[in-house]
Amino acid sequence: MLRRPCPECGLDPSSFTREDIPGMIRANAAAWPQPLTAPGAADRPRPDKWSPLEYGCHVRDVFRLYHYRLGLMLTEDDPLFANWDQDETAVAERYGEQDPARVTEQLSDAAQALAGRFTVETFGRYLVHDPVHHLYDVTGVRHAAAS
């Protein structure tokens, strides 16, 4: 993922600089209100694919998790990250039943908190792919590199 473009969403991690990462996180968060507030946001398009609401909850939690992990990276030598089972979290946290307006607010807040302190480049490149890819999962629109 870090060496070539994602064949699905189109994000190329080599196409942006470390300095671009906070803006990319903020821009991604700004794109989520539309799919999260659209009619049917809680409906799964297929049984094996999350709804826009479930993807939004996941992205919110990714931003929160990466904020936490970045804090560990900046304050500890050789930090250990606990495993995070995203599917288990989706069930336990009842992603499909959460309030889309609240998820939109929380996702934005989490993105702002994370974007405001980003300093670890490879971590950032890996992170940026997750929400970009999930916005593609929801909208079907491939990432367009900034010109």
Side-chain angles (χ1 to χ4, degrees), residues 44 50 54 57 61 84-98:
R44 287 185 169 200
W50 282 352
E54 289 168 309
C57 290
D61 290 350
W84 181 53
D85 184 325
Q86 61 192 19
D87 295 315
E88 181 179 298
T89 301
V91 171
E93 296 296 322
R94 303 170 77 141
Y95 280 0
E97 298 173 28
Q98 293 190 25

PDB file of all heavy atoms in Angstrom, residues 44 50 54 57 61 84-98:
ATOM      1  N   ARG A  44     -27.312  -1.006   4.168  1.00  0.00           N
ATOM      2  CA  ARG A  44     -26.212  -1.675   3.476  1.00  0.00           C
ATOM      3  C   ARG A  44     -26.595  -1.907   2.013  1.00  0.00           C
ATOM      4  O   ARG A  44     -27.689  -2.411   1.743  1.00  0.00           O
ATOM      5  CB  ARG A  44     -25.897  -3.017   4.134  1.00  0.00           C
ATOM      6  CG  ARG A  44     -25.201  -2.885   5.455  1.00  0.00           C
ATOM      7  CD  ARG A  44     -24.808  -4.239   5.992  1.00  0.00           C
ATOM      8  NE  ARG A  44     -23.910  -4.057   7.123  1.00  0.00           N
ATOM      9  CZ  ARG A  44     -23.106  -4.996   7.575  1.00  0.00           C
ATOM     10  NH1 ARG A  44     -23.098  -6.193   6.995  1.00  0.00           N
ATOM     11  NH2 ARG A  44     -22.318  -4.761   8.595  1.00  0.00           N
ATOM     12  N   TRP A  50     -20.526  -2.739   4.269  1.00  0.00           N
ATOM     13  CA  TRP A  50     -21.041  -1.805   5.258  1.00  0.00           C
ATOM     14  C   TRP A  50     -21.844  -0.690   4.604  1.00  0.00           C
ATOM     15  O   TRP A  50     -21.616  -0.310   3.454  1.00  0.00           O
ATOM     16  CB  TRP A  50     -19.893  -1.174   6.030  1.00  0.00           C
ATOM     17  CG  TRP A  50     -19.298  -2.033   7.101  1.00  0.00           C
ATOM     18  CD1 TRP A  50     -19.744  -3.228   7.571  1.00  0.00           C
ATOM     19  CD2 TRP A  50     -18.123  -1.732   7.845  1.00  0.00           C
ATOM     20  NE1 TRP A  50     -18.932  -3.688   8.560  1.00  0.00           N
ATOM     21  CE2 TRP A  50     -17.911  -2.790   8.749  1.00  0.00           C
ATOM     22  CE3 TRP A  50     -17.217  -0.687   7.846  1.00  0.00           C
ATOM     23  CZ2 TRP A  50     -16.859  -2.819   9.645  1.00  0.00           C
ATOM     24  CZ3 TRP A  50     -16.154  -0.708   8.724  1.00  0.00           C
ATOM     25  CH2 TRP A  50     -15.983  -1.767   9.620  1.00  0.00           C
ATOM     26  N   GLU A  54     -21.971   2.952   8.697  1.00  0.00           N
ATOM     27  CA  GLU A  54     -20.984   2.056   9.316  1.00  0.00           C
ATOM     28  C   GLU A  54     -19.566   2.446   8.899  1.00  0.00           C
ATOM     29  O   GLU A  54     -18.649   2.457   9.721  1.00  0.00           O
ATOM     30  CB  GLU A  54     -21.286   0.608   8.929  1.00  0.00           C
ATOM     31  CG  GLU A  54     -22.547   0.081   9.599  1.00  0.00           C
ATOM     32  CD  GLU A  54     -23.022  -1.226   9.022  1.00  0.00           C
ATOM     33  OE1 GLU A  54     -23.171  -1.332   7.777  1.00  0.00           O
ATOM     34  OE2 GLU A  54     -23.256  -2.161   9.819  1.00  0.00           O
ATOM     35  N   CYS A  57     -18.612   5.564  10.878  1.00  0.00           N
ATOM     36  CA  CYS A  57     -18.228   5.203  12.252  1.00  0.00           C
ATOM     37  C   CYS A  57     -16.815   4.629  12.274  1.00  0.00           C
ATOM     38  O   CYS A  57     -16.009   4.957  13.155  1.00  0.00           O
ATOM     39  CB  CYS A  57     -19.208   4.195  12.832  1.00  0.00           C
ATOM     40  SG  CYS A  57     -20.854   4.823  13.186  1.00  0.00           S
ATOM     41  N   ASP A  61     -13.485   6.135  14.116  1.00  0.00           N
ATOM     42  CA  ASP A  61     -12.690   5.346  15.054  1.00  0.00           C
ATOM     43  C   ASP A  61     -11.249   5.186  14.592  1.00  0.00           C
ATOM     44  O   ASP A  61     -10.332   5.128  15.416  1.00  0.00           O
ATOM     45  CB  ASP A  61     -13.357   4.000  15.305  1.00  0.00           C
ATOM     46  CG  ASP A  61     -14.644   4.133  16.116  1.00  0.00           C
ATOM     47  OD1 ASP A  61     -14.923   5.240  16.642  1.00  0.00           O
ATOM     48  OD2 ASP A  61     -15.381   3.132  16.213  1.00  0.00           O
ATOM     49  N   TRP A  84      -6.581  -4.243  17.028  1.00  0.00           N
ATOM     50  CA  TRP A  84      -7.905  -3.646  16.906  1.00  0.00           C
ATOM     51  C   TRP A  84      -8.664  -4.413  15.841  1.00  0.00           C
ATOM     52  O   TRP A  84      -8.289  -4.405  14.673  1.00  0.00           O
ATOM     53  CB  TRP A  84      -7.802  -2.169  16.523  1.00  0.00           C
ATOM     54  CG  TRP A  84      -9.127  -1.481  16.402  1.00  0.00           C
ATOM     55  CD1 TRP A  84     -10.115  -1.460  17.335  1.00  0.00           C
ATOM     56  CD2 TRP A  84      -9.616  -0.715  15.300  1.00  0.00           C
ATOM     57  NE1 TRP A  84     -11.183  -0.715  16.891  1.00  0.00           N
ATOM     58  CE2 TRP A  84     -10.897  -0.246  15.629  1.00  0.00           C
ATOM     59  CE3 TRP A  84      -9.086  -0.375  14.058  1.00  0.00           C
ATOM     60  CZ2 TRP A  84     -11.653   0.542  14.784  1.00  0.00           C
ATOM     61  CZ3 TRP A  84      -9.841   0.408  13.215  1.00  0.00           C
ATOM     62  CH2 TRP A  84     -11.125   0.866  13.579  1.00  0.00           C
ATOM     63  N   ASP A  85      -9.706  -5.091  16.249  1.00  0.00           N
ATOM     64  CA  ASP A  85     -10.537  -5.842  15.318  1.00  0.00           C
ATOM     65  C   ASP A  85     -11.683  -4.932  14.899  1.00  0.00           C
ATOM     66  O   ASP A  85     -12.647  -4.725  15.637  1.00  0.00           O
ATOM     67  CB  ASP A  85     -11.069  -7.109  15.995  1.00  0.00           C
ATOM     68  CG  ASP A  85     -11.862  -7.992  15.051  1.00  0.00           C
ATOM     69  OD1 ASP A  85     -12.568  -7.460  14.163  1.00  0.00           O
ATOM     70  OD2 ASP A  85     -11.795  -9.222  15.207  1.00  0.00           O
ATOM     71  N   GLN A  86     -11.565  -4.385  13.695  1.00  0.00           N
ATOM     72  CA  GLN A  86     -12.549  -3.401  13.240  1.00  0.00           C
ATOM     73  C   GLN A  86     -13.941  -4.002  13.077  1.00  0.00           C
ATOM     74  O   GLN A  86     -14.946  -3.325  13.334  1.00  0.00           O
ATOM     75  CB  GLN A  86     -12.090  -2.740  11.956  1.00  0.00           C
ATOM     76  CG  GLN A  86     -11.903  -3.696  10.803  1.00  0.00           C
ATOM     77  CD  GLN A  86     -11.182  -3.059   9.624  1.00  0.00           C
ATOM     78  OE1 GLN A  86     -10.526  -2.036   9.766  1.00  0.00           O
ATOM     79  NE2 GLN A  86     -11.308  -3.662   8.466  1.00  0.00           N
ATOM     80  N   ASP A  87     -14.040  -5.242  12.674  1.00  0.00           N
ATOM     81  CA  ASP A  87     -15.352  -5.869  12.524  1.00  0.00           C
ATOM     82  C   ASP A  87     -16.009  -6.106  13.883  1.00  0.00           C
ATOM     83  O   ASP A  87     -17.208  -5.891  14.050  1.00  0.00           O
ATOM     84  CB  ASP A  87     -15.241  -7.179  11.737  1.00  0.00           C
ATOM     85  CG  ASP A  87     -14.790  -6.933  10.306  1.00  0.00           C
ATOM     86  OD1 ASP A  87     -15.320  -5.998   9.668  1.00  0.00           O
ATOM     87  OD2 ASP A  87     -13.905  -7.655   9.826  1.00  0.00           O
ATOM     88  N   GLU A  88     -15.215  -6.546  14.848  1.00  0.00           N
ATOM     89  CA  GLU A  88     -15.733  -6.746  16.205  1.00  0.00           C
ATOM     90  C   GLU A  88     -16.199  -5.409  16.795  1.00  0.00           C
ATOM     91  O   GLU A  88     -17.243  -5.332  17.442  1.00  0.00           O
ATOM     92  CB  GLU A  88     -14.639  -7.361  17.080  1.00  0.00           C
ATOM     93  CG  GLU A  88     -15.058  -7.644  18.497  1.00  0.00           C
ATOM     94  CD  GLU A  88     -13.918  -8.273  19.298  1.00  0.00           C
ATOM     95  OE1 GLU A  88     -13.477  -9.367  18.926  1.00  0.00           O
ATOM     96  OE2 GLU A  88     -13.495  -7.628  20.284  1.00  0.00           O
ATOM     97  N   THR A  89     -15.424  -4.363  16.554  1.00  0.00           N
ATOM     98  CA  THR A  89     -15.797  -3.035  17.043  1.00  0.00           C
ATOM     99  C   THR A  89     -17.104  -2.573  16.412  1.00  0.00           C
ATOM    100  O   THR A  89     -17.966  -2.005  17.094  1.00  0.00           O
ATOM    101  CB  THR A  89     -14.676  -2.012  16.748  1.00  0.00           C
ATOM    102  OG1 THR A  89     -13.471  -2.459  17.380  1.00  0.00           O
ATOM    103  CG2 THR A  89     -15.035  -0.631  17.258  1.00  0.00           C
ATOM    104  N   ALA A  90     -17.275  -2.808  15.116  1.00  0.00           N
ATOM    105  CA  ALA A  90     -18.500  -2.404  14.420  1.00  0.00           C
ATOM    106  C   ALA A  90     -19.731  -3.036  15.047  1.00  0.00           C
ATOM    107  O   ALA A  90     -20.767  -2.386  15.222  1.00  0.00           O
ATOM    108  CB  ALA A  90     -18.415  -2.770  12.941  1.00  0.00           C
ATOM    109  N   VAL A  91     -19.624  -4.306  15.426  1.00  0.00           N
ATOM    110  CA  VAL A  91     -20.747  -5.009  16.048  1.00  0.00           C
ATOM    111  C   VAL A  91     -20.943  -4.512  17.475  1.00  0.00           C
ATOM    112  O   VAL A  91     -22.058  -4.151  17.875  1.00  0.00           O
ATOM    113  CB  VAL A  91     -20.525  -6.535  16.014  1.00  0.00           C
ATOM    114  CG1 VAL A  91     -21.578  -7.260  16.839  1.00  0.00           C
ATOM    115  CG2 VAL A  91     -20.519  -7.037  14.571  1.00  0.00           C
ATOM    116  N   ALA A  92     -19.864  -4.471  18.243  1.00  0.00           N
ATOM    117  CA  ALA A  92     -19.957  -4.082  19.652  1.00  0.00           C
ATOM    118  C   ALA A  92     -20.466  -2.649  19.820  1.00  0.00           C
ATOM    119  O   ALA A  92     -21.239  -2.367  20.743  1.00  0.00           O
ATOM    120  CB  ALA A  92     -18.603  -4.249  20.335  1.00  0.00           C
ATOM    121  N   GLU A  93     -20.038  -1.764  18.947  1.00  0.00           N
ATOM    122  CA  GLU A  93     -20.433  -0.355  19.043  1.00  0.00           C
ATOM    123  C   GLU A  93     -21.719  -0.046  18.278  1.00  0.00           C
ATOM    124  O   GLU A  93     -22.152   1.102  18.245  1.00  0.00           O
ATOM    125  CB  GLU A  93     -19.289   0.543  18.557  1.00  0.00           C
ATOM    126  CG  GLU A  93     -18.037   0.454  19.396  1.00  0.00           C
ATOM    127  CD  GLU A  93     -18.237   0.952  20.822  1.00  0.00           C
ATOM    128  OE1 GLU A  93     -18.966   1.942  21.010  1.00  0.00           O
ATOM    129  OE2 GLU A  93     -17.668   0.335  21.733  1.00  0.00           O
ATOM    130  N   ARG A  94     -22.290  -1.074  17.634  1.00  0.00           N
ATOM    131  CA  ARG A  94     -23.560  -0.934  16.902  1.00  0.00           C
ATOM    132  C   ARG A  94     -23.499   0.207  15.886  1.00  0.00           C
ATOM    133  O   ARG A  94     -24.341   1.096  15.865  1.00  0.00           O
ATOM    134  CB  ARG A  94     -24.703  -0.772  17.892  1.00  0.00           C
ATOM    135  CG  ARG A  94     -24.762  -1.941  18.867  1.00  0.00           C
ATOM    136  CD  ARG A  94     -25.707  -1.701  19.985  1.00  0.00           C
ATOM    137  NE  ARG A  94     -27.068  -1.892  19.484  1.00  0.00           N
ATOM    138  CZ  ARG A  94     -28.023  -2.465  20.153  1.00  0.00           C
ATOM    139  NH1 ARG A  94     -27.783  -2.913  21.362  1.00  0.00           N
ATOM    140  NH2 ARG A  94     -29.213  -2.602  19.648  1.00  0.00           N
ATOM    141  N   TYR A  95     -22.479   0.151  15.037  1.00  0.00           N
ATOM    142  CA  TYR A  95     -22.266   1.197  14.041  1.00  0.00           C
ATOM    143  C   TYR A  95     -23.537   1.524  13.250  1.00  0.00           C
ATOM    144  O   TYR A  95     -23.833   2.684  13.009  1.00  0.00           O
ATOM    145  CB  TYR A  95     -21.187   0.779  13.047  1.00  0.00           C
ATOM    146  CG  TYR A  95     -19.750   0.934  13.489  1.00  0.00           C
ATOM    147  CD1 TYR A  95     -19.382   1.436  14.731  1.00  0.00           C
ATOM    148  CD2 TYR A  95     -18.731   0.577  12.615  1.00  0.00           C
ATOM    149  CE1 TYR A  95     -18.048   1.566  15.091  1.00  0.00           C
ATOM    150  CE2 TYR A  95     -17.399   0.717  12.958  1.00  0.00           C
ATOM    151  CZ  TYR A  95     -17.056   1.211  14.195  1.00  0.00           C
ATOM    152  OH  TYR A  95     -15.742   1.349  14.536  1.00  0.00           O
ATOM    153  N   GLY A  96     -24.256   0.521  12.833  1.00  0.00           N
ATOM    154  CA  GLY A  96     -25.426   0.730  11.992  1.00  0.00           C
ATOM    155  C   GLY A  96     -26.595   1.411  12.677  1.00  0.00           C
ATOM    156  O   GLY A  96     -27.552   1.816  12.011  1.00  0.00           O
ATOM    157  N   GLU A  97     -26.518   1.570  13.999  1.00  0.00           N
ATOM    158  CA  GLU A  97     -27.604   2.192  14.751  1.00  0.00           C
ATOM    159  C   GLU A  97     -27.246   3.576  15.290  1.00  0.00           C
ATOM    160  O   GLU A  97     -28.054   4.210  15.962  1.00  0.00           O
ATOM    161  CB  GLU A  97     -28.002   1.280  15.915  1.00  0.00           C
ATOM    162  CG  GLU A  97     -28.513  -0.075  15.458  1.00  0.00           C
ATOM    163  CD  GLU A  97     -28.755  -1.025  16.614  1.00  0.00           C
ATOM    164  OE1 GLU A  97     -29.049  -0.555  17.739  1.00  0.00           O
ATOM    165  OE2 GLU A  97     -28.637  -2.243  16.400  1.00  0.00           O
ATOM    166  N   GLN A  98     -26.046   4.049  14.994  1.00  0.00           N
ATOM    167  CA  GLN A  98     -25.634   5.344  15.524  1.00  0.00           C
ATOM    168  C   GLN A  98     -26.281   6.488  14.738  1.00  0.00           C
ATOM    169  O   GLN A  98     -26.713   6.326  13.603  1.00  0.00           O
ATOM    170  CB  GLN A  98     -24.105   5.446  15.514  1.00  0.00           C
ATOM    171  CG  GLN A  98     -23.478   4.462  16.490  1.00  0.00           C
ATOM    172  CD  GLN A  98     -22.005   4.683  16.710  1.00  0.00           C
ATOM    173  OE1 GLN A  98     -21.489   5.784  16.543  1.00  0.00           O
ATOM    174  NE2 GLN A  98     -21.303   3.624  17.103  1.00  0.00           N
TER     175      GLN A  98
END
